[in-house]
Amino acid sequence: MGAPGSIAAGGVFRDHWGWVRGCYHFKGGTGFAFEAELLAVIYAITIAHQRCWLMLWIEEDSAYIVRLLEARSLDVPWRFMAAWKKALRLLEEFSVHVSHIFREGNCVADLMANPAMPEGWWPYARDEIKHAVVKDMATHSHVRIKH
């Protein structure tokens, strides 16, 4: 919402069939869109680690975040450095795949980042995203996580 402006982030965890295992949303104060993306991926890595979901496929619509993850780069704003380093350390315990997806290709995560969404973690698909989950699965049914 502006640059800089209020930032919010969200994400969705799916199993290898595409079904929702959980979703989250949080508000990140004031910042830039890149910072919201960064916080979303840090939060996702933390949640996955807490739940011992150690096979992780991160689909990210920020090509820059994808490059940061692939290179395990520390080229992030200073105020996020500690959290980013912790997330990178946690990733060492994962079998992880990182890929870029256009924002239009992941309606569910886009909905979860909506600033009007209440903050929280839900171990299911919220009503607001159920239609988008089905749409994303129909559109991307050929995509499966390889075990």
Side-chain angles (χ1 to χ4, degrees):
M1 300 294 170
S6 296
I7 59 174
V12 177
F13 289 91
R14 300 181 194 204
D15 64 18
H16 62 281
W17 298 110
W19 298 108
V20 174
R21 300 275 314 266
C23 54
Y24 65 91
H25 172 82
F26 64 91
K27 290 157 180 54
T30 300
F32 295 92
F34 160 76
E35 294 171 326
E37 297 283 352
L38 184 65
L39 288 172
V41 80
I42 290 169
Y43 199 76
I45 292 166
T46 303
I47 290 172
H49 188 266
Q50 289 170 347
R51 284 162 178 70
C52 296
W53 296 339
L54 301 181
M55 291 183 64
L56 192 60
W57 181 346
I58 300 172
E59 284 187 320
E60 174 60 54
D61 61 26
S62 166
Y64 187 67
I65 298 289
V66 169
R67 286 192 299 274
L68 287 174
L69 285 165
E70 289 175 340
R72 303 301 195 260
S73 172
L74 298 178
D75 192 17
V76 299
W78 182 251
R79 70 184 179 132
F80 301 111
M81 187 62 72
W84 181 245
K85 283 182 175 180
K86 181 178 179 185
L88 292 179
R89 280 193 306 276
L90 293 177
L91 275 183
E92 292 173 9
E93 299 177 34
F94 287 80
S95 170
V96 65
H97 175 77
V98 180
S99 62
H100 179 264
I101 185 169
F102 290 104
R103 186 175 184 180
E104 298 80 11
N106 195 351
C107 300
V108 178
D110 195 38
L111 287 170
M112 288 306 302
N114 184 326
M117 180 76 65
E119 288 188 289
W121 156 259
W122 301 271
Y124 55 86
R126 287 184 54 90
D127 288 340
E128 298 93 327
I129 67 168
K130 286 181 180 176
H131 176 73
V133 168
V134 173
K135 180 182 172 189
D136 280 354
M137 286 175 62
T139 306
H140 300 95
S141 62
H142 64 284
V143 178
R144 296 284 184 250
I145 297 173
K146 298 194 177 30
H147 292 282

